[in-house]
Amino acid sequence: MNILYTLLFLFAAVLPNDTELFRAIKEDPYAAAGNLRPYLAPSEKNPDTKAPRGYKPFYFSFYGRHGSRHLTGDISFISDYVKMLGGLEAESALTEDGMELLRQLRWLEAEHEGNMGILTDTGYKEEKGISERLHKRFRRIFHQCRRRKVMVRTSPSLRSAMTGTSFIMELSRHGRKLEFDVKGGQRYYFTKWDPNPDLDATELRVLDSMIRVKLDTAAFARRFFRDEALLRKALAGRSLGKAQYEIMHILSVGKCISPDAATLALFNTEELYDYAVVQNARTASWFLHSKETGFYRDTNAGAPLVNEIVCRAEEAIQGNGICADLRFGHDSGVAPAFSFLGIEGYDNPSAPLADTWRTWPAYKHVTMACSLSLILYRNRKGDILVKILENERETTIPAVSPFKGPYYKWEDFKRWSTRKI
């Protein structure tokens, strides 16, 4: 019960419409989708900080999550709710909003048939845009006489391979003399995801508590269903709160499939905000260090990927003809790597999961196609600097003193990033 009281106190402390999350959802309902939100491309008004005098970029290292996709898992996750609401429709137990909810779920079911986990057209376009912008910003890297090799590695999932294909097709259109080495497979996850029953139990405990506190199941039932008794019967012992959460989760992927989707239009900003707070805690429990989860994912998933990035960068510094290492995988790599590095936004190791929506809003950090980039610079003396990009935007590591602006001495970055490896 202590965690429940803690949550109640936290949620009462801040009025929803005073928060950045609430304002973001009001502007775009799909900000509530968290890690199911389509990619947020940076603004043209966000230029690069000029490199210190004499330093030129020569190497690019990248790990990107696949672009927008369909839901993963089994389609029965969607079909079960379509069947349940279809049965209630047959008994005239759905309101007009309930009928619209059923229509949206049927559309999503049809879109997912044979497409579970597959990249969408939106995902293709996201990667094409990312590739084009990065080439434009760091054109010098991809047009070096003695560095023309581009190493491309993807996880074994089809969506990762499709993402990498979209990215390098666009890159090859601009850098015609580049030499691509492309491989995919299990070894190119570059990260671990070992089972942890204690972590799973913590996630479920926090999620269940937050669903009970945050989701207004009574309002949900009134809005979509005419007969509460028939609804309870259809749930067959399942929690109404869990059903509401799962239905909203399914609807959250709509924008990844179609830019014109309105799957979340059935909910007002307050309802989406409450869902987003719950979803943020769940996402943080998977990928982020926190008060309850400690640094398990940092060291288990983040550290191996960072080690891979540092090792390949060291080889490039020594001179191997490689101008870029491109890796395509999942949010389960990007977020733990940033969490391990402690970049801005990921640098609060003691935040409770229930409070992560304030310091680490998932809709900003782990959208579809989120990415980690390192750009290495060198001067004529051979001194090396590195700049870090999160989702194409410059970022910093608060615990490490920069050389200047967002630029770090390579040795300082390497010392920090390998401290626990």
Side-chain angles (χ1 to χ4, degrees), residues 5-19:
Y5 292 132
T6 301
L7 292 171
L8 285 167
F9 172 80
L10 288 170
F11 297 142
V14 179
L15 294 174
N17 57 7
D18 288 336
T19 68

Side-chain angles (χ1 to χ4, degrees), residues 48-105:
D48 282 297
T49 301
K50 188 176 180 179
R53 186 175 179 179
Y55 286 89
K56 305 296 181 184
F58 70 94
Y59 172 74
F60 180 75
S61 183
F62 180 86
Y63 184 99
R65 182 192 185 189
H66 53 75
S68 285
R69 58 157 171 78
H70 296 78
L71 290 173
T72 57
D74 195 298
I75 196 171
S76 62
F77 180 63
I78 307 171
S79 299
D80 286 350
Y81 282 109
V82 171
K83 183 178 179 180
M84 187 188 90
L85 267 69
L88 291 169
E89 176 192 30
E91 298 191 63
S92 301
L94 296 182
T95 63
E96 288 187 15
D97 282 348
M99 294 294 291
E100 178 58 25
L101 175 60
L102 178 56
R103 281 191 289 271
Q104 295 289 355
L105 288 172

Side-chain angles (χ1 to χ4, degrees), residues 3 7 35 193-212 242 245-246 249 277-288 290-294 297 353-354:
I3 189 170
L7 292 171
N35 69 325
W193 201 255
D194 293 331
N196 188 315
D198 291 339
L199 211 63
D200 294 341
T202 296
E203 175 202 331
L204 289 174
R205 184 173 67 251
V206 173
L207 184 65
D208 288 345
S209 296
M210 294 182 73
I211 285 175
R212 289 197 300 272
K242 189 69 176 293
Y245 173 83
E246 290 181 345
H249 179 76
V277 169
V278 179
Q279 178 64 5
N280 210 96
R282 187 184 191 192
T283 307
S285 75
W286 296 334
F287 305 140
L288 190 68
S290 71
K291 181 179 179 180
E292 295 91 345
T293 60
R297 288 302 178 204
L353 288 173

Side-chain angles (χ1 to χ4, degrees), residues 310-329:
V310 170
C311 287
R312 298 293 82 77
E314 276 289 298
E315 292 172 2
I317 290 170
Q318 297 305 315
N320 58 5
I322 294 173
C323 66
D325 279 292
L326 308 178
R327 309 165 189 84
F328 299 93

Side-chain angles (χ1 to χ4, degrees), residues 123-140:
Y124 272 114
K125 293 175 183 176
E126 289 166 348
E127 293 304 320
K128 180 178 181 294
I130 293 169
S131 180
E132 182 179 25
R133 288 188 297 274
L134 289 173
H135 176 271
K136 183 178 179 180
R137 289 171 68 182
F138 306 108
R139 188 179 187 280
R140 181 187 182 93

